[in-house]
Amino acid sequence: MNGTGLIELSNVSRWYGNVVAVNDISMSLGPGITGLLGPNGAGKTTLLNMMAGFLPPSRGELTVDGRPSWRNPEVFRTLGLVPERDSVYGFLSGLDFVRSTARLHRLADPDAAAHRAIAIVEMADAQDRRIATYSKGMRQRIKVAAALVHDPAILLLDEPFNGMDPRQRLQMMDLLEQMAEQGRTILFSSHILEEVERMSGTIEVMVGGRLAASGDFRAIRRLMTSRPHVFLVRSSADRELGAALIGRPAVTGVELSPRGLQVRAADFGTFTRELAGLCRDGDISLREVLPSDESLESVFAYLVAS
Amino acid sequence: MSTTESREEGTAMRKRTASPVPGMFNPVVFRITLRATLGRKRAFVFILTPVLLLAITALLRAVATSPAWPAEFLGDFGLSVVLPLTALIIGTSALGAEIDDGAVIHLLATPVSRLSVVTSKFAAAVVLTLAFGALPEFLAGAIAKGFTDRLTIGLLVGAIVASVAYNAVFVLLSVLTTRAIAVGLLYLLVWEGLLGNFVGGVRVLSVGQYSVSAANAIAKTSALNAHLTTGTATVMAVIVTIASLAVAGRRLSSFSLKGDAV
């Protein structure tokens, strides 16, 4: 593998005119998988672009393998970038695209390197088709293959799960974890919190340009499942179900409305488990359970406050 | 696939040449640019214009009575309209269109020098402009006056100068602004078309004048409206080309991407 895989940021800020996109972030990334989470506009892409040398920090220091990445294309010897934008040369076949990238890296055997990278992302079957005919998930994987072709120690992925179906998402997550196990530094950004449910590794949460929370995936996952929730529940016997629910410690409030039951739960995980049990015991059929405060901002705001 | 297999593959991938990526020309960038430029929708414009040029020339040959029509038409329309527009579409497509749609990232996220990205894309643009601009101009000259006539050879030389210098300028514009086509059109219409006719000094900084002056060096006819000496035109064409590419390379080194916060 090429490079040590270390990314160091110290007090990095980036602003555009009066808008602060990234605000005083310090972090140190090494081998393993890290998820950079936050709502849209939190500054995740700006941070990734700075790491890949596509944007200079307005203030602070950012180094990849000990060297600044801005105006230093040499950084791509140790770093692979999977950009969010889906613009790939659609007229090339997957193999041509990855092989061209290998040639741009001046690899000794571009053909072999391309085939290996394509095998890693399991795209060999479709490698001879034009990229324009690929599905979203396939395009993401061929972009990962191109970013991997020179065996970099660092792989940066901007919203790699965007537009993927759940199966493709699982495959991609497995792939990233596999690569992290090989000792690579993997950093991916995502605005979909649920992605951490499956992930092992470190999580950095960004909100409004700042690093809001950071730590082990378990801690964040626990916070996520124990956060307070409001649900709208409709059942065959709302009043009976409401009475039973209010007796449970996980529930902090129940309101009967024409639309159904508004239930405030203190603990997401316990509530969802108990609700099923109560219905079964009372022979009540559950028609609908809708989370009603699932906006990403509220979830992130909760994480930040914790 | 098991982790062990991937590791072995990783080891094999490590082999590479030790030298830094050298050279001013990158064949991979060149080839991809050729295909990408030909594949864009706007390609039909530069594929159709030469057909139009040849058709009008054939028509004029049949009906025109003035002996000066070949130089006037192929100078005023061929060298001064068809070639700049062909170069504008191709030159801004080669780099500008890829910057717009983001495809250029796949080239820039490699250790290839940014200057060689510029020069290779420029080379691709020149080759395409020669094929779709200069060659038809030469053929049109041949239809009008025959293959070996001085005017025909002169038009070919002028068209080659235009293909090279215009593309350098338009590749530079692609790096400087996201509205390269609009700015390029303004340059052609206002600077070369309007000011160039009234202000003598402007002609020294007009690629169009380098082109017709080069053509006139061989054709030697006042119908081409050349206003620069061959020496001035040659030196200026070389300076403008090299300077444009150098500045474009520098600007592309500072190529930056904005994030979602803006």
Side-chain angles (χ1 to χ4, degrees):
Chain A
M1 209 175 302
N2 291 295
T4 56
L6 287 180
I7 305 178
E8 303 272 354
L9 283 81
S10 82
N11 307 104
V12 170
S13 297
R14 171 71 211 192
W15 51 81
Y16 306 99
N18 288 330
V19 183
V20 179
V22 167
N23 195 346
D24 198 29
I25 287 191
S26 298
M27 62 164 89
S28 175
L29 297 173
I33 188 163
T34 306
L36 183 64
L37 301 179
N40 284 325
K44 305 183 299 291
T45 298
T46 302
L47 195 67
L48 285 174
N49 285 343
M50 283 195 283
M51 289 177 181
F54 282 120
L55 201 62
S58 304
R59 185 178 288 166
E61 243 184 78
L62 189 157
T63 58
V64 172
D65 271 343
R67 288 174 304 170
S69 50
W70 173 240
R71 296 187 69 121
N72 177 21
E74 287 293 303
V75 76
F76 291 108
R77 291 199 183 285
T78 59
L79 186 149
L81 173 71
V82 182
E84 182 189 3
R85 283 181 75 175
D86 211 13
S87 46
V88 200
Y89 299 101
F91 53 85
L92 293 180
S93 73
L95 179 60
D96 281 342
F97 175 56
V98 180
R99 194 164 37 200
S100 298
T101 312
R103 291 210 173 99
L104 291 173
H105 282 284
R106 299 210 149 224
L107 301 187
D109 188 348
D111 211 45
H115 279 105
R116 282 180 207 110
I118 287 173
I120 292 176
V121 300
E122 293 172 17
M123 282 286 289
D125 290 345
Q127 66 179 21
D128 295 320
R129 271 168 51 193
R130 285 167 60 235
I131 295 178
T133 67
Y134 283 5
S135 71
K136 175 91 189 177
M138 292 163 89
R139 274 203 293 274
Q140 284 292 0
R141 279 192 287 165
I142 210 71
K143 276 156 64 183
V144 172
L148 272 180
V149 77
H150 59 301
D151 195 24
I154 302 169
L155 192 62
L156 304 179
L157 306 101
D158 198 0
E159 299 279 356
F161 307 102
N162 243 4
M164 285 190 167
D165 64 37
R167 195 180 52 86
Q168 294 171 331
R169 203 175 281 185
L170 274 173
Q171 272 178 352
M172 178 63 80
M173 189 60 92
D174 284 344
L175 177 63
L176 296 185
E177 285 182 344
Q178 234 179 64
M179 290 189 294
E181 278 166 26
Q182 293 164 22
R184 287 179 219 272
T185 304
I186 310 285
L187 177 68
F188 73 89
S189 73
S190 173
H191 65 277
I192 304 166
L193 255 181
E194 274 57 37
E195 275 159 12
V196 305
E197 300 264 0
R198 278 251 325 121
M199 210 194 92
S200 56
T202 315
I203 287 170
E204 308 276 354
V205 180
M206 258 183 107
V207 179
R210 285 183 174 278
L211 210 52
S214 135
D216 185 75
F217 78 102
R218 288 182 208 89
I220 308 262
R221 184 150 60 188
R222 208 174 306 123
L223 282 173
M224 278 183 55
T225 50
S226 66
R227 71 185 192 267
H229 268 62
V230 180
F231 291 95
L232 181 73
V233 180
R234 293 201 314 117
S235 68
S236 57
D238 285 351
R239 194 171 288 277
E240 287 78 356
L241 182 61
L245 278 172
I246 197 72
R248 295 290 169 167
V251 174
T252 57
V254 177
E255 192 180 311
L256 201 57
S257 75
R259 291 164 56 228
L261 283 172
Q262 290 271 2
V263 184
R264 273 188 300 283
D267 183 326
F268 168 83
T270 318
F271 166 71
T272 43
R273 273 192 306 278
E274 289 188 343
L275 179 64
L278 284 175
C279 289
R280 196 182 49 234
D281 298 345
D283 202 20
I284 299 169
S285 45
L286 210 49
R287 301 219 168 100
E288 198 171 30
V289 180
L290 277 178
S292 56
D293 65 344
E294 275 301 75
S295 87
L296 271 172
E297 279 67 22
S298 74
V299 177
F300 280 112
Y302 169 74
L303 284 181
V304 175
S306 304
Chain B
M1 169 188 320
S2 80
T3 311
T4 339
E5 276 169 10
S6 307
R7 273 214 189 99
E8 283 162 10
E9 284 160 3
T11 317
M13 269 193 273
R14 206 171 301 153
K15 291 176 206 147
R16 64 169 72 236
T17 49
S19 64
V21 179
M24 290 277 284
F25 177 76
N26 189 302
V28 181
V29 177
F30 177 79
R31 274 198 306 272
I32 289 183
T33 307
L34 277 187
R35 287 185 66 180
T37 309
L38 282 171
R40 290 185 192 277
K41 285 198 188 89
R42 58 183 88 156
F44 84 93
V45 180
F46 65 76
I47 291 171
L48 273 185
T49 38
V51 177
L52 194 70
L53 178 78
L54 293 173
I56 299 178
T57 309
L59 186 72
L60 284 175
R61 191 193 141 110
V63 298
T65 48
S66 148
W69 79 263
E72 283 173 351
F73 174 69
L74 293 173
D76 288 351
F77 183 69
L79 280 188
S80 304
V81 177
V82 173
L83 262 155
L85 288 182
T86 306
L88 177 67
I89 295 165
I90 294 174
T92 53
S93 191
L95 181 55
E98 285 189 14
I99 291 176
D100 286 349
D101 69 19
V104 77
I105 299 301
H106 297 290
L107 303 179
L108 298 186
T110 63
V112 174
S113 93
R114 304 282 166 94
L115 180 62
S116 78
V117 171
V118 165
T119 51
S120 311
K121 284 189 165 289
F122 161 73
V126 170
V127 166
L128 288 173
T129 311
L130 287 175
F132 292 100
L135 182 64
E137 176 79 358
F138 172 67
L139 293 178
I143 291 174
K145 305 274 282 184
F147 278 101
T148 50
D149 190 86
R150 283 207 335 220
L151 179 71
T152 310
I153 309 291
L155 288 173
L156 176 65
V157 172
I160 292 173
V161 171
S163 304
V164 173
Y166 272 125
N167 274 308
V169 171
F170 295 140
V171 165
L172 170 63
L173 282 183
S174 305
V175 189
L176 294 181
T177 167
T178 51
R179 295 185 177 82
I181 289 196
V183 176
L185 259 182
L186 275 181
Y187 163 78
L188 292 176
L189 294 176
V190 178
W191 185 265
E192 293 201 346
L194 202 64
L195 294 176
N197 284 333
F198 302 114
V199 189
V202 166
R203 293 169 187 150
V204 182
L205 288 173
S206 291
V207 175
Q209 273 300 318
Y210 311 156
S211 154
V212 286
S213 299
N216 192 45
I218 295 165
K220 302 211 187 307
T221 161
S222 61
L224 281 174
N225 288 317
H227 298 285
L228 298 179
T229 64
T230 312
T232 311
T234 313
V235 170
M236 284 307 294
V238 170
I239 290 177
V240 164
T241 303
I242 294 176
S244 297
L245 294 178
V247 175
R250 275 188 69 85
R251 286 294 297 231
L252 199 64
S253 303
S254 309
F255 177 79
S256 58
L257 285 171
K258 288 188 174 171
D260 51 0
V262 182

